[in-house]
Amino acid sequence: MTWQQRIDSALQARRAAAAFRVRQAVENGAGRFLTREGRRFCNFSSNDYLGLSQHPAIVRAWQQGADRYGVGSGGSGHVSGYTTAHQGLEEELAGWLGYARALLFISGFAANQAVIAAMTDKDDRIIADRLSHASLLEAANLSPAQLRRFAHNDVAQLSALLDKPCVGQQLVVTEGVFSMDGDSAPLRALHDAVKKQNGWLLVDDAHGTGVTGDEGRGSAHQQNVKPELLIVTFGKGFGVSGAAVLCSDSVADYLLQFARHLIYSTSMPPAQAVALSASVAIIRSAEGAERRERLSEHIQRLRRGLHALALQRTDSQSAIQPAIVGDNARALALAGALRARGIWVTAIRPPTVPPGTARLRLTLTAAHDTQDIDTLLEALHDAS
Ligand SMILES: *Cc1c(COP(=O)(O)O)cnc(C)c1O
C-alpha cells in the first residue's frame, strides 16, 4: 500500500461508518449562544460550564496582562518564560486545592502526556478506567509501562489487578467527572484500594474543577480525597485554556527535571495566567457559587425532561448530560433536526464512545436561561 492508498482507505472507512469528522468554523462557539454564518444557535455543546469564557472581568484581566507582559512568554519556563504571573497563579491553585505545589501546562492533553511519561517506567503498571479520556489512555499506551484497564468505576476489578505482582510501581488513572458520560468516579473507594498496594492515584478532574464542590474545588475535594496527582484543566469550567498538575514538593521538583513538555516547550502567555487568576477568583467567590447553583438547577431540569421523553440518560449529576441514541445515523439525524430549530448539539460517535452508544452530548452552562432548557426539551420531543 502506498502512502496515498493508506490515507484514502482510512478516509473511506470513516465515511462508510458515518463517522467522518468535519469542523465547522463559527463566529463564536462558547457560552449560551453559538453564532455561525450570522445565525444564532442556542449552544448545548461547549464545555464553558460556568459561562466564564466571555466574563468581562476575565477578558479585562487578559487585556491588562497583555499590556503589562506582552503577548508571548518568550520561552520555556526553564529559560525565561516563567513570570511572576505564572508563579502567582501556581501559588493560588496550590493554596485553593490544598496541595504543596502546582505546575502549569499549555493544555490538559499536554499535562497528561507529560506527567504519565515522566512518572512511569518499564517495570511499572498503569491501571486506567476503561472510559478515561483519550489524552490519558494515549499517554499510557505510549509509556513503556504495562497498561491494564478496569471496567468503568469497578473498584473490585481494580483491586484484583492491583493485587497481581508488579516489579515496579503502580499508577491508577481515572477522571473525576467522565467526559462522555458525565458520571463521577468513586474516588474514595478507588484511593483506598490503591493505597492498600502502595500505588499512587492520578485523577484528571477536567470537568469537575471549578464546577463542583465547595468553592469549586472539584470532585476529589468533594469526596474528601487527596490523590497524589491531580490534573486540572482550564478550558472547561475556567472558560480559558491550559492546565496544571497539583502535587507534593518533591513530585513538582521531579517533574521540573523530567517532564519534557515543561522543559522543551514555550510556557503559556503570561497574560493568560493573569486571566486565569481572575477566573480562579470568580470561581471561589459568591458569584462562582451562584453560577454553580444556577447550573445545578439546569441539570435537574434537563434530567427530569429527558426522563419524561424516555431518552436514555446516564448516571450523571454533572453539566454533561448525554442522551444515548445508539445508532450513528440516528444521532446525526437528531443533531441535524435540532440544528434546523436553532439548537446546536454535537453527535458523538465511536470511536470516541463505545460502538452502539452514539449519543447527543448535551452540555449545560450557567449562562443558559431556564427557557433554553425547555426549548431544547421541546425540540427533542418533536424530533425523536
Ligand atoms: C478536555 C479534557 C482534557 C484535555 O484538556 P485540554 O486542555 O482541552 O487539552 C484532558 N482530560 C479530560 C478528562 C478532558 O475532558
Side-chain angles (χ1 to χ4, degrees):
M1 225 193 242
T2 64
W3 273 109
Q4 194 57 52
Q5 284 164 337
R6 185 197 295 181
I7 288 163
D8 290 342
S9 110
L11 292 176
Q12 185 44 40
R14 272 290 163 91
R15 286 199 182 91
F20 192 77
R21 294 171 151 116
V22 290
R23 301 176 303 171
Q24 294 180 310
V26 297
E27 280 102 57
N28 172 35
R32 183 181 174 199
F33 296 112
L34 177 151
T35 40
R36 176 173 147 79
E37 292 171 346
R39 185 160 171 221
R40 201 173 77 166
F41 297 84
C42 196
N43 185 7
F44 289 97
S45 61
S46 96
N47 298 323
D48 183 14
Y49 305 128
L50 297 178
L52 295 182
S53 70
Q54 346 226 337
H55 194 292
I58 302 174
V59 171
R60 206 176 322 114
W62 194 313
Q63 289 163 339
Q64 287 168 348
D67 286 342
R68 171 157 173 210
Y69 293 98
V71 291
S73 70
S76 147
H78 283 62
V79 185
S80 57
Y82 183 61
T83 66
T84 48
H86 297 92
Q87 185 180 39
L89 174 60
E90 287 182 346
E91 288 172 2
E92 284 156 22
L93 291 168
W96 172 43
L97 298 171
Y99 282 79
R101 297 276 287 278
L103 298 175
L104 300 176
F105 288 86
I106 268 307
S107 71
F109 200 101
N112 286 335
Q113 301 297 304
V115 170
I116 289 176
M119 295 296 298
T120 55
D121 225 326
K122 77 173 185 352
D123 286 337
D124 300 336
R125 181 189 287 145
I126 302 171
I127 314 180
D129 187 290
R130 199 167 270 289
L131 295 191
S132 297
H133 191 261
S135 59
L136 295 164
L137 291 177
E138 163 144 326
N141 261 319
L142 293 173
S143 150
Q146 181 191 46
L147 169 62
R148 287 286 173 269
R149 302 172 199 220
F150 60 100
H152 181 49
N153 285 343
D154 187 336
V155 182
Q157 196 181 41
L158 169 65
S159 295
L161 288 165
L162 280 162
D163 286 346
K164 300 209 162 117
C166 173
V167 179
Q169 303 302 317
Q170 305 203 78
L171 180 69
V172 172
V173 170
T174 191
E175 294 183 35
V177 172
F178 283 83
S179 48
M180 289 302 144
D181 286 55
D183 59 342
S184 300
L187 295 177
R188 160 67 38 215
L190 290 171
H191 202 210
D192 288 346
V194 173
K195 279 192 293 196
K196 220 178 269 170
Q197 289 295 352
N198 298 314
W200 276 11
L201 177 65
L202 180 156
V203 174
D204 176 345
D205 203 22
H207 301 278
T209 318
V211 191
T212 57
D214 178 41
E215 275 191 35
R217 288 190 179 93
S219 311
H221 191 267
Q222 195 172 29
Q223 296 185 44
N224 201 15
V225 176
K226 189 173 169 187
E228 286 75 17
L229 296 158
L230 174 66
I231 305 284
V232 299
T233 75
F234 306 137
K236 286 143 189 170
F238 291 67
V240 188
S241 174
V245 58
L246 283 296
C247 57
S248 69
D249 265 318
S250 57
V251 171
D253 287 342
Y254 175 88
L255 291 171
L256 285 170
Q257 316 309 310
F258 301 111
R260 305 170 76 79
H261 291 66
L262 288 177
I263 305 167
Y264 298 107
S265 184
T266 304
S267 63
M268 76 169 54
Q272 183 180 338
V274 176
L276 283 164
S277 287
S279 182
V280 171
I282 290 165
I283 285 170
R284 300 183 68 175
S285 71
E287 180 187 344
E290 277 161 33
R291 285 175 182 258
R292 284 187 287 279
E293 184 52 39
R294 198 171 327 132
L295 176 61
S296 146
E297 283 162 15
H298 293 341
I299 292 168
Q300 297 320 319
R301 192 174 191 90
L302 178 61
R303 282 187 68 76
R304 281 194 302 272
L306 290 176
H307 184 64
L309 290 176
L311 275 162
Q312 190 191 337
R313 304 175 298 181
T314 63
D315 188 22
S316 164
Q317 295 304 321
S318 73
I320 304 162
Q321 291 293 332
I324 298 179
V325 178
D327 181 58
N328 283 2
R330 178 154 179 250
L332 282 178
L334 259 180
L338 292 174
R339 199 155 298 177
R341 297 183 51 152
I343 296 170
W344 195 280
V345 306
T346 320
I348 308 270
R349 291 157 285 160
T352 306
V353 293
T357 69
R359 63 195 64 191
L360 301 179
R361 180 176 180 273
L362 306 171
T363 54
L364 299 174
T365 156
H368 284 133
D369 260 4
T370 306
Q371 182 57 49
D372 298 337
I373 316 294
D374 294 344
T375 305
L376 168 65
L377 287 165
E378 278 161 33
L380 276 170
H381 174 265
D382 295 347
S384 56

